[in-house]
Amino acid sequence: MINHDVLIIGAGLAGMRAALAAGDNGADVAVVTKVHPVRSHSNAAQGGINAALTDRGDDWRDHAYDTIKGSDYLGDQDAIEIMCREAGSEVISMEHMGVIFSRDEEGRLGTRAFGGQRQARTFFVADFTGQALLHVLHEQVLKAGVRVYEEWFVLSLIVEEGQCAGAVVMEMRTGGVHVMRAKAVIMASGGLGRVFEPSTNALICTGDGMALSYRAGAPLMDQEMVQYHPTTLKGSGVLITEGARGEGAHLLNSKGERFMERYAPNMMELASRDVVSRSEQTEIDEGRGIDGCVLLDCRHLGEQVIREKLSQIQDIARDFAGVDITREPIPIRPGMHYQMGGIKTDVNGSTAVPGLYAAGECACVSVHGGNRLGANSLLDTLVFGRRSGQHASDLAKSKPHAPITDAAAEDDLERIRALLENDGEYMFGRLRLDLGRAMDRRLSVFRNQQGMEQALTEVRDVRERYRNVRVADKGKTFNTNLMFTLELGFMIDCAETIVLSALERRESRGAHTRTDMPDRDDDNWLKHVLVKSTPDGPRIEHLPVVITEWEPQARVY
Amino acid sequence: MKATLRVRRFDPDSDTPEAHFQEYDLDVEDSATVLDGLIKVREEVDGTLTLRCSCRSAICGSCAMRINGQAGLACNTKISDAVPRGGGPITIEPAGNMQIIKDLVVDFQPFWDKVRAVEPWLQPEGPEPETEYVAPNDAMLHEAGVMACIMCGACVSDCTVLAVDSNFLGPAALAKAYRLVVDPRDDAEASRLARLDEYGGVWDCTRCMECVEVCPKGVAPMDRIMALRDKAMERGHTGTYGARHADAFADSIKHSGWLDELKLPIKTFGLFNIPKILGLVPVGIRAQLAGKRPPIFHKSIPGVQGIRRIFDRMESRR
Ligand SMILES: Cc1cc2nc3c(=O)[nH]c(=O)nc-3n(C[C@H](O)[C@H](O)[C@H](O)COP(=O)(O)OP(=O)(O)OC[C@H]3O[C@@H](n4cnc5c(N)ncnc54)[C@H](O)[C@@H]3O)c2cc1C
Ligand code: SF4
Ligand code: SF4
Ligand code: FES
């Protein structure tokens, strides 16, 4: 058995920020991650990170208002206030740690415009902001000497007498299964994008932490709120950053019209993501698309801007679509991108299970509500990663380890044995594809009752067939085949909670747009939908939205 | 399009753990990448095929491997571009200069240890400013070119020095060191350069350019190493055994296409520096264990003309 005060699951921005904070607070911290830290999905963030810096004439209240309006008033305003107030110091401390950030002529941090915000307050490093932040945080983790268990895959959380007491983890290199005991566990396992096919998310984004926490008794909140990003590449679904529109790129339909004029005359291409995605989908559905896509046009930005600020986009378009963005527009469409929902936490990261914390994309504080603003997610990971690290380490100081033993791994060992022996008929890949396609078909930009009911049947059908899954690789060393099959189990749980929450919300709000109930209904639905796992199956609960000073209004961009 | 992937397989758990090639005939979209092909294999054909990959967009650094003998990212190499001229299978092998764990998965631990060894974190002196450090954007843009490194290890895979001397810090770690040396906020330049001046540091590169060629992110590690040398020289780090080591190294390869490891320590340390040479014995033993015993009679390898040409070309460029 391995012992640490605080065990952090995940080494993306949220996990590493939490590790540094818990370490600074004097705790013995360890991080487990199924991939090396710098391979975490945070590195994919291209656009930037939001912060309203007072000395630039910006105001955190404006940022908060934009976030709340963006969330379609489903975000909890106390949490949003905290995030926006602490944003400036968080960005500055990342700069002090070594992030280079793009600068203005005076050598101070420069900003770019991002969607849904009236101020240019997005700080960035060319178009690889996430990578720059992630690598620097990793440098700091090395400097602090935090113990990182790389390529260790968490199988389950250990709950002893109602408290989270650690995790059962498989070491990929050897196939060994370990009990890791901790006084506090922070889940920072990222998103669930692969539940949808296609998705902008990396292949490792399989919702593990949401499912692990859900199985351990922590409710998931706002799961129906799945963000479709307006600009994903035709075919592969790879993301083209909002930074492109921030730098001035236009959206065009098949007639060459800047169609956003009709949907968001003020903010145009930079309206909130749900708004832009719906507009694009409407153009496509009404026959003004090209081959299921609309066009993103960067040509007028000029070669120098493209080279200095959008080089990665230039590479992606060339490598994955064969398009030279200085000469041709890029065919794009809305694609699954981000999960606003997740493990319900308070503003300190605590979940409903004592000893279990969550931060980052797997958590739902909720600062994004019905729709996340671009560049608010990185901020969310850092602010709430730090806060959960601080609070989890405080908790760890105040209590002893739970009396668990290596026997805690038995259920998982048995599960793995059964999976390996099962000579079922389905490869996980087939099932994953069926699951992902069903979700993308029925729970994308526009939804309706019948489609969502159909999705529920399809998800449950995949669950049935999953009992009959076959793991071809029977070995111990680096058995990714086994890992993917276990991940698929997590994905099925996530998918079910998404569909159930979506069926529950009988209105349209944020990313949840129902063609059969097109209006927002504040009288009945200004509240969160939660799903809790019980012995009798999933149970739906509700929680009121926290409103501090911004009363809900109609949302116009 | 149709394509055949010829993949080097190795499973340490099998009854007969021997590396071998296995061919997979695939029907893929014209735009498919090598990674798409490999994923298709593992999801639809053969679930035991093992490789690292995640982002599919050349940003996570997981999928470096040798494609037709040269390191690259599977996710940004198109199948249509990788099919050899005249047809035939695309050969896929694990990244080089690292131990194979299983199939295309190699042991990155030494890679990370070397990154750790350059103390890759900002070391400013004095109190932190209230707000951000003020720094020229040009310096930051220049640094961004190195920050773009995704730690994929393609450069390390194909580095000609690492193939024979595992002590070399290697292109990725040195590029990372460069970023910190040039960072206007960092105040540890002197101690960093002193360390990089030692054996295994900047002087061990033979300027073969492999790392520049294979890097998928345009980091150009060799250029960074050369810039570090210049900076080291400026600080008076010349004439050390390091500098001589590099020249000996280059001489040897240029002369015969081989690295004459027996001659190398002598040239580097001088014939009478017995303690230093003895200090290198473990390297020799390790090389021997790995089947890399230096040939006692130093003969030219067949392609030596080509290698000399490369050197001439490079020397004329400088
Ligand atoms: C293409 C793209 C671009 C984006 N651009 C932006 C942007 O410009 N601005 C912005 O604010 N946001 C952006 N986002 C969103 C943002 O990048 C993510 O929401 C955020 O980085 C998530 O960080 P995280 O720390 O929560 O998780 P991740 O970085 O995803 O890290 C998850 C960690 O958990 C570990 N893990 C998961 N499961 C297990 C398990 N079972 N066992 C062990 N370890 C496990 C993984 O190994 C990994 O280390 C973008 C997202 C995408 C997909
Ligand atoms: S140029 Fe130097 S660092 Fe780069 S591959 Fe050649 S020897 Fe290695
Ligand atoms: S320098 Fe280039 S090849 Fe080497 S690790 Fe970095 S990105 Fe990969
Ligand atoms: S899969 Fe991430 S770099 Fe290739």
Side-chain angles (χ1 to χ4, degrees), chain A residues 96-112:
Chain A
H96 288 171
M97 288 182 201
V99 178
I100 55 180
F101 285 118
S102 299
R103 316 254 161 173
D104 59 21
E105 281 91 59
E106 275 104 65
R108 314 199 57 195
L109 305 192
T111 53
R112 67 164 37 132

mmCIF file with all atom_site columns, all heavy atoms in Angstrom, chain A residues 96-112:
data_model
loop_
_atom_site.group_PDB
_atom_site.id
_atom_site.type_symbol
_atom_site.label_atom_id
_atom_site.label_alt_id
_atom_site.label_comp_id
_atom_site.label_asym_id
_atom_site.label_entity_id
_atom_site.label_seq_id
_atom_site.pdbx_PDB_ins_code
_atom_site.Cartn_x
_atom_site.Cartn_y
_atom_site.Cartn_z
_atom_site.occupancy
_atom_site.B_iso_or_equiv
_atom_site.pdbx_formal_charge
_atom_site.auth_seq_id
_atom_site.auth_comp_id
_atom_site.auth_asym_id
_atom_site.auth_atom_id
_atom_site.pdbx_PDB_model_num
ATOM 1   N N   . HIS A 1 96  ? 5.031  34.710 -13.493 1.00 0.00 ? 96  HIS A N   1
ATOM 2   C CA  . HIS A 1 96  ? 6.209  34.645 -12.620 1.00 0.00 ? 96  HIS A CA  1
ATOM 3   C C   . HIS A 1 96  ? 6.855  33.270 -12.645 1.00 0.00 ? 96  HIS A C   1
ATOM 4   O O   . HIS A 1 96  ? 8.069  33.136 -12.517 1.00 0.00 ? 96  HIS A O   1
ATOM 5   C CB  . HIS A 1 96  ? 5.816  35.011 -11.179 1.00 0.00 ? 96  HIS A CB  1
ATOM 6   C CG  . HIS A 1 96  ? 5.516  36.462 -11.010 1.00 0.00 ? 96  HIS A CG  1
ATOM 7   N ND1 . HIS A 1 96  ? 4.976  36.989 -9.861  1.00 0.00 ? 96  HIS A ND1 1
ATOM 8   C CD2 . HIS A 1 96  ? 5.670  37.516 -11.853 1.00 0.00 ? 96  HIS A CD2 1
ATOM 9   C CE1 . HIS A 1 96  ? 4.829  38.301 -9.994  1.00 0.00 ? 96  HIS A CE1 1
ATOM 10  N NE2 . HIS A 1 96  ? 5.231  38.638 -11.194 1.00 0.00 ? 96  HIS A NE2 1
ATOM 11  N N   . MET A 1 97  ? 6.049  32.238 -12.807 1.00 0.00 ? 97  MET A N   1
ATOM 12  C CA  . MET A 1 97  ? 6.622  30.885 -12.858 1.00 0.00 ? 97  MET A CA  1
ATOM 13  C C   . MET A 1 97  ? 7.400  30.648 -14.151 1.00 0.00 ? 97  MET A C   1
ATOM 14  O O   . MET A 1 97  ? 8.199  29.725 -14.222 1.00 0.00 ? 97  MET A O   1
ATOM 15  C CB  . MET A 1 97  ? 5.507  29.834 -12.765 1.00 0.00 ? 97  MET A CB  1
ATOM 16  C CG  . MET A 1 97  ? 4.868  29.712 -11.399 1.00 0.00 ? 97  MET A CG  1
ATOM 17  S SD  . MET A 1 97  ? 3.618  28.397 -11.466 1.00 0.00 ? 97  MET A SD  1
ATOM 18  C CE  . MET A 1 97  ? 2.614  28.838 -10.054 1.00 0.00 ? 97  MET A CE  1
ATOM 19  N N   . GLY A 1 98  ? 7.116  31.462 -15.184 1.00 0.00 ? 98  GLY A N   1
ATOM 20  C CA  . GLY A 1 98  ? 7.904  31.308 -16.396 1.00 0.00 ? 98  GLY A CA  1
ATOM 21  C C   . GLY A 1 98  ? 7.132  31.268 -17.709 1.00 0.00 ? 98  GLY A C   1
ATOM 22  O O   . GLY A 1 98  ? 7.733  31.140 -18.777 1.00 0.00 ? 98  GLY A O   1
ATOM 23  N N   . VAL A 1 99  ? 5.800  31.381 -17.647 1.00 0.00 ? 99  VAL A N   1
ATOM 24  C CA  . VAL A 1 99  ? 5.051  31.393 -18.909 1.00 0.00 ? 99  VAL A CA  1
ATOM 25  C C   . VAL A 1 99  ? 5.430  32.650 -19.685 1.00 0.00 ? 99  VAL A C   1
ATOM 26  O O   . VAL A 1 99  ? 5.528  33.733 -19.104 1.00 0.00 ? 99  VAL A O   1
ATOM 27  C CB  . VAL A 1 99  ? 3.528  31.364 -18.639 1.00 0.00 ? 99  VAL A CB  1
ATOM 28  C CG1 . VAL A 1 99  ? 2.757  31.439 -19.953 1.00 0.00 ? 99  VAL A CG1 1
ATOM 29  C CG2 . VAL A 1 99  ? 3.159  30.100 -17.872 1.00 0.00 ? 99  VAL A CG2 1
ATOM 30  N N   . ILE A 1 100 ? 5.663  32.505 -20.978 1.00 0.00 ? 100 ILE A N   1
ATOM 31  C CA  . ILE A 1 100 ? 6.205  33.662 -21.701 1.00 0.00 ? 100 ILE A CA  1
ATOM 32  C C   . ILE A 1 100 ? 5.135  34.702 -22.061 1.00 0.00 ? 100 ILE A C   1
ATOM 33  O O   . ILE A 1 100 ? 5.377  35.864 -21.963 1.00 0.00 ? 100 ILE A O   1
ATOM 34  C CB  . ILE A 1 100 ? 7.007  33.225 -22.947 1.00 0.00 ? 100 ILE A CB  1
ATOM 35  C CG1 . ILE A 1 100 ? 6.175  32.350 -23.869 1.00 0.00 ? 100 ILE A CG1 1
ATOM 36  C CG2 . ILE A 1 100 ? 8.267  32.499 -22.546 1.00 0.00 ? 100 ILE A CG2 1
ATOM 37  C CD1 . ILE A 1 100 ? 6.928  31.910 -25.103 1.00 0.00 ? 100 ILE A CD1 1
ATOM 38  N N   . PHE A 1 101 ? 3.957  34.309 -22.409 1.00 0.00 ? 101 PHE A N   1
ATOM 39  C CA  . PHE A 1 101 ? 2.854  35.207 -22.798 1.00 0.00 ? 101 PHE A CA  1
ATOM 40  C C   . PHE A 1 101 ? 3.267  36.236 -23.850 1.00 0.00 ? 101 PHE A C   1
ATOM 41  O O   . PHE A 1 101 ? 4.349  36.816 -23.780 1.00 0.00 ? 101 PHE A O   1
ATOM 42  C CB  . PHE A 1 101 ? 2.264  35.970 -21.588 1.00 0.00 ? 101 PHE A CB  1
ATOM 43  C CG  . PHE A 1 101 ? 1.391  35.125 -20.701 1.00 0.00 ? 101 PHE A CG  1
ATOM 44  C CD1 . PHE A 1 101 ? 1.741  34.905 -19.367 1.00 0.00 ? 101 PHE A CD1 1
ATOM 45  C CD2 . PHE A 1 101 ? 0.233  34.551 -21.182 1.00 0.00 ? 101 PHE A CD2 1
ATOM 46  C CE1 . PHE A 1 101 ? 0.939  34.128 -18.542 1.00 0.00 ? 101 PHE A CE1 1
ATOM 47  C CE2 . PHE A 1 101 ? -0.570 33.779 -20.356 1.00 0.00 ? 101 PHE A CE2 1
ATOM 48  C CZ  . PHE A 1 101 ? -0.212 33.564 -19.040 1.00 0.00 ? 101 PHE A CZ  1
ATOM 49  N N   . SER A 1 102 ? 2.370  36.449 -24.786 1.00 0.00 ? 102 SER A N   1
ATOM 50  C CA  . SER A 1 102 ? 2.612  37.490 -25.787 1.00 0.00 ? 102 SER A CA  1
ATOM 51  C C   . SER A 1 102 ? 2.524  38.866 -25.122 1.00 0.00 ? 102 SER A C   1
ATOM 52  O O   . SER A 1 102 ? 1.756  39.050 -24.192 1.00 0.00 ? 102 SER A O   1
ATOM 53  C CB  . SER A 1 102 ? 1.585  37.376 -26.911 1.00 0.00 ? 102 SER A CB  1
ATOM 54  O OG  . SER A 1 102 ? 1.707  36.123 -27.526 1.00 0.00 ? 102 SER A OG  1
ATOM 55  N N   . ARG A 1 103 ? 3.321  39.797 -25.610 1.00 0.00 ? 103 ARG A N   1
ATOM 56  C CA  . ARG A 1 103 ? 3.443  41.122 -24.967 1.00 0.00 ? 103 ARG A CA  1
ATOM 57  C C   . ARG A 1 103 ? 3.060  42.249 -25.910 1.00 0.00 ? 103 ARG A C   1
ATOM 58  O O   . ARG A 1 103 ? 3.017  42.052 -27.121 1.00 0.00 ? 103 ARG A O   1
ATOM 59  C CB  . ARG A 1 103 ? 4.903  41.355 -24.542 1.00 0.00 ? 103 ARG A CB  1
ATOM 60  C CG  . ARG A 1 103 ? 5.563  40.182 -23.874 1.00 0.00 ? 103 ARG A CG  1
ATOM 61  C CD  . ARG A 1 103 ? 5.706  40.388 -22.411 1.00 0.00 ? 103 ARG A CD  1
ATOM 62  N NE  . ARG A 1 103 ? 5.909  39.102 -21.736 1.00 0.00 ? 103 ARG A NE  1
ATOM 63  C CZ  . ARG A 1 103 ? 6.205  39.018 -20.452 1.00 0.00 ? 103 ARG A CZ  1
ATOM 64  N NH1 . ARG A 1 103 ? 6.349  40.085 -19.717 1.00 0.00 ? 103 ARG A NH1 1
ATOM 65  N NH2 . ARG A 1 103 ? 6.352  37.833 -19.888 1.00 0.00 ? 103 ARG A NH2 1
ATOM 66  N N   . ASP A 1 104 ? 2.869  43.420 -25.337 1.00 0.00 ? 104 ASP A N   1
ATOM 67  C CA  . ASP A 1 104 ? 2.667  44.597 -26.179 1.00 0.00 ? 104 ASP A CA  1
ATOM 68  C C   . ASP A 1 104 ? 4.004  45.308 -26.370 1.00 0.00 ? 104 ASP A C   1
ATOM 69  O O   . ASP A 1 104 ? 5.043  44.815 -25.950 1.00 0.00 ? 104 ASP A O   1
ATOM 70  C CB  . ASP A 1 104 ? 1.600  45.526 -25.573 1.00 0.00 ? 104 ASP A CB  1
ATOM 71  C CG  . ASP A 1 104 ? 1.978  45.988 -24.173 1.00 0.00 ? 104 ASP A CG  1
ATOM 72  O OD1 . ASP A 1 104 ? 3.189  45.939 -23.835 1.00 0.00 ? 104 ASP A OD1 1
ATOM 73  O OD2 . ASP A 1 104 ? 1.088  46.396 -23.411 1.00 0.00 ? 104 ASP A OD2 1
ATOM 74  N N   . GLU A 1 105 ? 3.962  46.496 -26.999 1.00 0.00 ? 105 GLU A N   1
ATOM 75  C CA  . GLU A 1 105 ? 5.228  47.192 -27.313 1.00 0.00 ? 105 GLU A CA  1
ATOM 76  C C   . GLU A 1 105 ? 6.016  47.535 -26.054 1.00 0.00 ? 105 GLU A C   1
ATOM 77  O O   . GLU A 1 105 ? 7.237  47.589 -26.077 1.00 0.00 ? 105 GLU A O   1
ATOM 78  C CB  . GLU A 1 105 ? 4.981  48.482 -28.106 1.00 0.00 ? 105 GLU A CB  1
ATOM 79  C CG  . GLU A 1 105 ? 4.704  48.275 -29.581 1.00 0.00 ? 105 GLU A CG  1
ATOM 80  C CD  . GLU A 1 105 ? 3.220  48.123 -29.846 1.00 0.00 ? 105 GLU A CD  1
ATOM 81  O OE1 . GLU A 1 105 ? 2.482  49.061 -29.515 1.00 0.00 ? 105 GLU A OE1 1
ATOM 82  O OE2 . GLU A 1 105 ? 2.801  47.066 -30.343 1.00 0.00 ? 105 GLU A OE2 1
ATOM 83  N N   . GLU A 1 106 ? 5.291  47.770 -24.955 1.00 0.00 ? 106 GLU A N   1
ATOM 84  C CA  . GLU A 1 106 ? 6.004  48.132 -23.725 1.00 0.00 ? 106 GLU A CA  1
ATOM 85  C C   . GLU A 1 106 ? 6.565  46.920 -22.990 1.00 0.00 ? 106 GLU A C   1
ATOM 86  O O   . GLU A 1 106 ? 7.157  47.063 -21.925 1.00 0.00 ? 106 GLU A O   1
ATOM 87  C CB  . GLU A 1 106 ? 5.091  48.904 -22.770 1.00 0.00 ? 106 GLU A CB  1
ATOM 88  C CG  . GLU A 1 106 ? 5.038  50.391 -23.044 1.00 0.00 ? 106 GLU A CG  1
ATOM 89  C CD  . GLU A 1 106 ? 3.743  50.765 -23.725 1.00 0.00 ? 106 GLU A CD  1
ATOM 90  O OE1 . GLU A 1 106 ? 2.688  50.622 -23.087 1.00 0.00 ? 106 GLU A OE1 1
ATOM 91  O OE2 . GLU A 1 106 ? 3.785  51.155 -24.905 1.00 0.00 ? 106 GLU A OE2 1
ATOM 92  N N   . GLY A 1 107 ? 6.312  45.752 -23.542 1.00 0.00 ? 107 GLY A N   1
ATOM 93  C CA  . GLY A 1 107 ? 6.829  44.560 -22.879 1.00 0.00 ? 107 GLY A CA  1
ATOM 94  C C   . GLY A 1 107 ? 5.918  44.030 -21.792 1.00 0.00 ? 107 GLY A C   1
ATOM 95  O O   . GLY A 1 107 ? 6.303  43.187 -20.992 1.00 0.00 ? 107 GLY A O   1
ATOM 96  N N   . ARG A 1 108 ? 4.682  44.530 -21.767 1.00 0.00 ? 108 ARG A N   1
ATOM 97  C CA  . ARG A 1 108 ? 3.733  44.025 -20.779 1.00 0.00 ? 108 ARG A CA  1
ATOM 98  C C   . ARG A 1 108 ? 2.781  43.049 -21.464 1.00 0.00 ? 108 ARG A C   1
ATOM 99  O O   . ARG A 1 108 ? 2.701  43.001 -22.690 1.00 0.00 ? 108 ARG A O   1
ATOM 100 C CB  . ARG A 1 108 ? 2.967  45.191 -20.162 1.00 0.00 ? 108 ARG A CB  1
ATOM 101 C CG  . ARG A 1 108 ? 3.938  46.328 -19.782 1.00 0.00 ? 108 ARG A CG  1
ATOM 102 C CD  . ARG A 1 108 ? 3.340  47.268 -18.787 1.00 0.00 ? 108 ARG A CD  1
ATOM 103 N NE  . ARG A 1 108 ? 2.924  46.544 -17.593 1.00 0.00 ? 108 ARG A NE  1
ATOM 104 C CZ  . ARG A 1 108 ? 2.107  47.067 -16.684 1.00 0.00 ? 108 ARG A CZ  1
ATOM 105 N NH1 . ARG A 1 108 ? 1.632  48.271 -16.844 1.00 0.00 ? 108 ARG A NH1 1
ATOM 106 N NH2 . ARG A 1 108 ? 1.772  46.370 -15.617 1.00 0.00 ? 108 ARG A NH2 1
ATOM 107 N N   . LEU A 1 109 ? 2.063  42.266 -20.673 1.00 0.00 ? 109 LEU A N   1
ATOM 108 C CA  . LEU A 1 109 ? 1.217  41.234 -21.255 1.00 0.00 ? 109 LEU A CA  1
ATOM 109 C C   . LEU A 1 109 ? 0.164  41.828 -22.186 1.00 0.00 ? 109 LEU A C   1
ATOM 110 O O   . LEU A 1 109 ? -0.530 42.774 -21.813 1.00 0.00 ? 109 LEU A O   1
ATOM 111 C CB  . LEU A 1 109 ? 0.516  40.420 -20.163 1.00 0.00 ? 109 LEU A CB  1
ATOM 112 C CG  . LEU A 1 109 ? 1.420  39.771 -19.106 1.00 0.00 ? 109 LEU A CG  1
ATOM 113 C CD1 . LEU A 1 109 ? 0.609  38.777 -18.279 1.00 0.00 ? 109 LEU A CD1 1
ATOM 114 C CD2 . LEU A 1 109 ? 2.621  39.087 -19.734 1.00 0.00 ? 109 LEU A CD2 1
ATOM 115 N N   . GLY A 1 110 ? 0.049  41.276 -23.374 1.00 0.00 ? 110 GLY A N   1
ATOM 116 C CA  . GLY A 1 110 ? -0.951 41.733 -24.337 1.00 0.00 ? 110 GLY A CA  1
ATOM 117 C C   . GLY A 1 110 ? -2.175 40.830 -24.313 1.00 0.00 ? 110 GLY A C   1
ATOM 118 O O   . GLY A 1 110 ? -2.126 39.715 -23.808 1.00 0.00 ? 110 GLY A O   1
ATOM 119 N N   . THR A 1 111 ? -3.277 41.323 -24.843 1.00 0.00 ? 111 THR A N   1
ATOM 120 C CA  . THR A 1 111 ? -4.505 40.524 -24.844 1.00 0.00 ? 111 THR A CA  1
ATOM 121 C C   . THR A 1 111 ? -5.055 40.389 -26.251 1.00 0.00 ? 111 THR A C   1
ATOM 122 O O   . THR A 1 111 ? -4.689 41.131 -27.150 1.00 0.00 ? 111 THR A O   1
ATOM 123 C CB  . THR A 1 111 ? -5.599 41.187 -23.987 1.00 0.00 ? 111 THR A CB  1
ATOM 124 O OG1 . THR A 1 111 ? -5.755 42.535 -24.425 1.00 0.00 ? 111 THR A OG1 1
ATOM 125 C CG2 . THR A 1 111 ? -5.256 41.153 -22.522 1.00 0.00 ? 111 THR A CG2 1
ATOM 126 N N   . ARG A 1 112 ? -5.939 39.431 -26.427 1.00 0.00 ? 112 ARG A N   1
ATOM 127 C CA  . ARG A 1 112 ? -6.701 39.319 -27.668 1.00 0.00 ? 112 ARG A CA  1
ATOM 128 C C   . ARG A 1 112 ? -8.178 39.199 -27.316 1.00 0.00 ? 112 ARG A C   1
ATOM 129 O O   . ARG A 1 112 ? -8.532 38.922 -26.173 1.00 0.00 ? 112 ARG A O   1
ATOM 130 C CB  . ARG A 1 112 ? -6.226 38.125 -28.498 1.00 0.00 ? 112 ARG A CB  1
ATOM 131 C CG  . ARG A 1 112 ? -6.514 36.786 -27.869 1.00 0.00 ? 112 ARG A CG  1
ATOM 132 C CD  . ARG A 1 112 ? -6.406 35.567 -28.796 1.00 0.00 ? 112 ARG A CD  1
ATOM 133 N NE  . ARG A 1 112 ? -5.357 35.571 -29.787 1.00 0.00 ? 112 ARG A NE  1
ATOM 134 C CZ  . ARG A 1 112 ? -4.531 34.533 -29.992 1.00 0.00 ? 112 ARG A CZ  1
ATOM 135 N NH1 . ARG A 1 112 ? -4.624 33.444 -29.243 1.00 0.00 ? 112 ARG A NH1 1
ATOM 136 N NH2 . ARG A 1 112 ? -3.651 34.555 -30.943 1.00 0.00 ? 112 ARG A NH2 1
#
